[in-house]
Amino acid sequence: MKKLLVVLLALCLIFAFAACAADEDNTDDTTTDEAAVLVMGTNAAFPPYEYYQENQIVGIDAEIAAAIADKLGMKLQIMDMEFGSIIAAVQTGKADIGMAAMTVTEDRLESVNFTTSYATGVQVIIVAADSPITSLDDLYAEGADYQIAVQQDTTGDIYATDDFGDDRVQRYNKGADAVLALTSGRADCVIIDNEPAKSFVAANEGLVILDTEYAVEDYAICVAKDNTALLEQINTALAELIDDGTVQTIVDKYITAE
């Protein structure tokens, strides 16, 4: 009887220790998983900054974000959405950061904070090779009524609307749709970032980029107004990645010198 009691007591102690260990493991795993994910909101239709390669989102922004997450000891998760939804996703906490070749503007600064800049972008104009539009001046000419296609909510949209008026701007959810409007004759030109412009021109015979800059702008990462701690962490990581040449190496991988 004494031997039986000893065995039962030993078994109870073993089960108790095992249950405690399991509880500790479960608690640690949950906490680690939640803390280790950095969610990035983007619009993966803007090569070479973000685009799909098979089923994976790749590009300059995707790689820089992954390098930042690694610096912070986190795992990057990318959410693809419409460009105009990114800031709202960051504001509501659906995404931790917004990164989509996004320019810092006064209007956007009212909704979110931005990190230091990590790249410079140039807005250019795509036209058909035989287009009567041969320079930026043609868009500003008195009496001009050329229809301009843009990706909605981008700076191309903002600048074109300010400069030429709402009735001359056609807005599309994707840059590719704006280019389709040009090739199908529904628009006379497209205003978009220079790097995706190169990709669109290469994929559509008969299109050219005008030899002029429409606007020059700095790209940065947006973070929620109330998440200043994350903003500081990203700025620190970004500074290190710029200083050690990582950011430039990533940019050079996707944008080769002409």
Side-chain angles (χ1 to χ4, degrees):
M1 180 63 71
K2 288 183 180 179
K3 289 183 180 180
L4 179 59
L5 289 174
V6 170
V7 171
L8 290 174
L9 180 59
L11 288 172
C12 288
L13 289 173
I14 290 171
F15 287 134
F17 282 125
C20 289
D23 287 342
E24 290 177 1
D25 288 344
N26 288 337
T27 302
D28 289 344
D29 286 347
T30 302
T31 303
T32 302
D33 287 345
E34 289 176 355
V37 178
L38 180 69
V39 181
M40 165 186 163
T42 194
N43 175 240
F46 209 66
Y49 291 97
E50 41 268 319
Y51 60 99
Y52 279 97
Q53 191 171 79
E54 295 180 352
N55 295 322
Q56 183 178 3
I57 297 175
V58 298
I60 293 171
D61 287 347
E63 290 204 24
I64 292 176
I68 290 171
D70 186 60
K71 280 274 186 186
L72 301 182
M74 304 174 79
K75 181 180 178 181
L76 180 67
Q77 177 185 333
I78 303 178
M79 295 178 60
D80 187 16
M81 60 187 70
E82 290 185 4
F83 185 84
S85 300
I86 295 173
I87 286 180
V90 171
Q91 286 181 299
T92 59
K94 183 178 180 181
D96 299 308
I97 62 173
M99 196 171 181
M102 188 177 290
T103 306
V104 181
T105 67
E106 291 301 320
D107 285 345
R108 290 172 181 167
L109 281 169
E110 292 179 3
S111 303
V112 291
N113 287 330
F114 280 93
T115 65
T116 52
S117 175
Y118 63 88
T120 299
V122 178
Q123 293 286 317
V124 296
I125 303 168
I126 305 174
V127 297
D130 58 354
S131 174
I133 303 171
T134 59
S135 73
L136 180 58
D137 290 340
D138 291 329
L139 294 181
Y140 287 104
E142 185 177 353
D145 192 30
Y146 295 115
Q147 289 294 298
I148 303 164
V150 298
Q151 182 176 2
Q152 186 170 348
D153 296 317
T154 63
T155 46
D157 177 7
I158 295 167
Y159 299 153
T161 302
D162 287 345
D163 289 348
F164 306 108
D166 198 62
D167 60 335
R168 288 180 58 184
V169 177
Q170 299 179 15
R171 298 174 183 84
Y172 298 90
N173 287 332
K174 298 178 181 178
D177 293 338
V179 173
L180 180 60
L182 171 61
T183 58
S184 64
R186 288 178 284 127
D188 299 298
C189 67
V190 174
I191 292 179
I192 199 168
D193 180 274
N194 186 49
E195 295 308 324
K198 291 177 183 176
S199 298
F200 292 135
V201 167
N204 293 273
E205 187 176 353
L207 298 184
V208 296
I209 300 172
L210 293 184
D211 188 20
T212 184
E213 295 177 350
Y214 177 53
V216 179
E217 52 200 7
D218 292 324
Y219 295 153
I221 305 166
C222 73
V223 181
K225 284 281 190 182
D226 60 358
N227 203 348
T228 55
L230 180 60
L231 181 69
E232 292 174 5
Q233 291 174 332
I234 292 175
N235 273 333
T236 298
L238 193 53
E240 293 173 359
L241 293 168
I242 291 172
D243 289 344
D244 68 17
T246 300
V247 168
Q248 190 60 53
T249 298
I250 292 171
V251 171
D252 291 343
K253 174 182 174 181
Y254 291 92
I255 302 176
T256 57
E258 296 179 346

